[in-house]
């Protein structure tokens, strides 16, 4: 925060008095505004037109004015800090929005990949189930047919040629024989 204390110009160090870019006369008051031990500004109030010395009331009035100026400077500094923080916050929000958009896109892509993989896996599972079912049905059909063929051959051998037409049995056997 800024601080001040009224100093008579005549009490300032000679080097400081010589550094002023304007002519300061005897009897002037200096009101330095300091922030963290650094001189920020120096109000110089020239002597009274009446050439009287400044009274303690005058000094109190100037000190009050300077303190009000210090309050304004503090508020301006605070507003500048708030503005800078707001600008940084806007930049961070923009960066966050970009990151969120990129993340949402990545999540969407990953979900689509997983959904595609699940669909392919389900299709393969259905095809495998159908293949297993078809194999089972073929097996179940072949077993009774093989049994029938075996029995027909047995009957043909037992009854001989006179009861069964061997050509019909052979033709039938070739029809049901698996490839």
């Amino acid at each position: 925060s800024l601080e001040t204390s009224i100093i008579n110009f005549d009490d300032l160090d000679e080097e400081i008095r010589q550094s002023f870019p304007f002519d300061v006369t005897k009897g002037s008051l200096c009101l330095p505004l300091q922030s963290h031990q650094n001189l920020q500004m120096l109000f110089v109030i020239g002597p009274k037109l009446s050439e009287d010395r400044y009274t303690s009331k005058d000094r109190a009035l100037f000190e009050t004015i300077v303190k009000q100026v210090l309050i304004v400077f503090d508020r301006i500094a605070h507003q500048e800090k708030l503005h800078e923080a707001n600008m940084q916050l806007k930049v961070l929000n923009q960066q966050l929005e970009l990151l969120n958009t990129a993340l949402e896109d990545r999540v969407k892509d990953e979900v689509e990949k997983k959904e595609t993989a699940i669909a392919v896996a389900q299709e393969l599972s259905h095809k495998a189930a159908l293949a297993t079912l078809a194999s089972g049905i073929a097996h179940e059909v072949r077993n009774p047919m093989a049994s029938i063929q075996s029995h027909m051959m047995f009957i043909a051998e037992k009854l001989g040629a006179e009861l069964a037409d061997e050509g019909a049995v052979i033709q039938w056997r070739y029809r049901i024989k698996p490839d």
Side-chain angles (χ1 to χ4, degrees):
S1 75
L2 298 170
E3 300 173 5
T4 189
S5 60
I6 297 177
I7 302 170
N8 284 320
F9 183 74
D10 301 336
D11 295 339
L12 288 175
D13 185 90
E14 180 64 31
E15 186 178 323
I16 294 174
R17 281 188 286 171
Q18 295 300 323
S19 68
F20 279 92
F22 49 86
D23 189 24
V24 179
T25 59
K26 250 182 173 287
S28 297
L29 294 179
C30 295
L31 298 118
L33 299 177
Q34 294 182 354
S35 174
H36 305 291
Q37 307 302 329
N38 296 324
L39 183 64
Q40 300 295 320
M41 187 180 291
L42 184 66
F43 287 107
V44 178
I45 301 171
K48 287 185 174 184
L49 292 177
S50 67
E51 296 185 9
D52 292 338
R53 295 189 55 79
Y54 286 107
T55 65
S56 58
K57 279 185 171 185
D58 295 332
R59 287 174 167 257
L61 176 64
F62 291 140
E63 202 163 294
T64 300
I65 291 170
V66 169
K67 285 181 181 178
Q68 293 300 313
V69 169
L70 289 174
I71 290 170
V72 169
F73 284 162
D74 277 345
R75 286 183 181 164
I76 290 171
H78 182 70
Q79 287 296 322
E80 288 173 351
K81 286 179 184 176
L82 281 176
H83 178 71
E84 184 178 317
N86 263 343
M87 295 306 291
Q88 289 174 349
L89 186 60
K90 283 181 182 179
V91 168
L92 290 173
N93 277 334
Q94 290 171 346
Q95 291 172 349
L96 183 60
E97 284 181 29
L98 290 174
L99 289 172
N100 277 340
T101 300
L103 182 59
E104 286 171 357
D105 290 345
R106 283 179 60 193
V107 167
K108 183 180 176 184
D109 290 345
E110 289 299 317
V111 167
E112 287 175 0
K113 285 179 187 176
K114 289 198 187 250
E115 286 174 347
T116 301
I118 288 170
V120 168
Q122 286 175 339
E123 185 177 340
L124 290 174
S125 176
H126 287 130
K127 286 181 180 180
L130 283 174
T132 302
L133 180 63
S135 173
I137 290 172
H139 176 74
E140 292 301 322
V141 167
R142 281 188 197 129
N143 277 347
M145 294 301 278
S147 178
I148 291 170
Q149 180 184 6
S150 171
H151 282 87
M152 290 299 289
M153 302 243 333
F154 176 76
I155 292 171
E157 285 177 12
K158 291 289 181 194
L159 295 177
E162 70 260 355
L163 294 177
D165 180 3
E166 194 175 322
V169 173
I170 291 172
Q171 281 182 347
W172 180 75
R173 183 173 62 180
Y174 283 125
R175 279 194 221 141
I176 65 162
K177 184 176 180 183
D179 293 332

